[in-house]
Amino acid sequence: HCTVAANDSQAAPAASASMGKRKRAKPPPKKAKPKVATVFDCPFCGNAQSCGVKMDYDHSQGEIHCDQCHAKHESRISRLSEPIDVYAEWIDMCEDVNANGGTRARRPRQEEEDDPEDDL
């Protein structure tokens, strides 16, 4: 009988330590947001990582400039624009110029003309 009482007194603190609130599972770690590049390869001189982009959101102007051959391109941007957008527009413009023999393809202006069907 005495040995049981001694075991109960030792077991009581251990039992009280395990009682109480349940342990919460740790929340899963947040996924890192992928970073968008701000330095690109130059389409003119071919140097890797030589073109840096400056984004001026206050004036809605994005500029990309090559440190090696000093080629540059400016484009209109919005608050949602990223540096990759300025680079992609520059590459698209270069491809347009190359495809049209050195002249940039301009979209024809749509003038308001009287359609013969409108008169019917």
Side-chain angles (χ1 to χ4, degrees), residues 9-23:
S9 65
Q10 291 175 354
S16 65
S18 65
M19 293 178 63
K21 295 183 180 180
R22 282 188 184 173
K23 290 186 177 180

Side-chain angles (χ1 to χ4, degrees), residues 88-110:
E89 184 177 316
W90 188 29
I91 295 298
D92 291 344
M93 185 201 64
C94 292
E95 288 175 354
D96 286 347
V97 169
N98 289 337
N100 294 316
T103 59
R104 184 170 182 194
R106 301 240 184 232
R107 293 184 182 137
R109 295 169 73 187
Q110 293 182 357

Side-chain angles (χ1 to χ4, degrees), residues 14-94:
S16 65
S18 65
M19 293 178 63
K21 295 183 180 180
R22 282 188 184 173
K23 290 186 177 180
R24 286 187 162 184
K26 291 183 180 178
K30 294 182 180 179
K31 292 183 180 178
K33 188 176 181 182
K35 293 187 179 182
V36 179
T38 57
V39 180
F40 305 96
D41 300 344
C42 182
F44 293 107
C45 65
N47 285 322
Q49 305 294 307
S50 63
C51 295
V53 179
K54 294 179 185 174
M55 305 292 281
D56 185 2
Y57 292 106
D58 294 334
H59 296 101
S60 299
Q61 191 74 26
E63 180 180 316
I64 187 166
H65 182 266
C66 178
D67 296 333
Q68 301 297 319
C69 67
H70 304 290
K72 76 175 196 176
H73 172 72
E74 295 179 353
S75 66
R76 307 265 316 154
I77 61 171
S78 69
R79 292 275 177 201
L80 301 176
S81 297
E82 296 284 338
I84 190 76
D85 298 324
V86 176
Y87 180 71
E89 184 177 316
W90 188 29
I91 295 298
D92 291 344
M93 185 201 64
C94 292

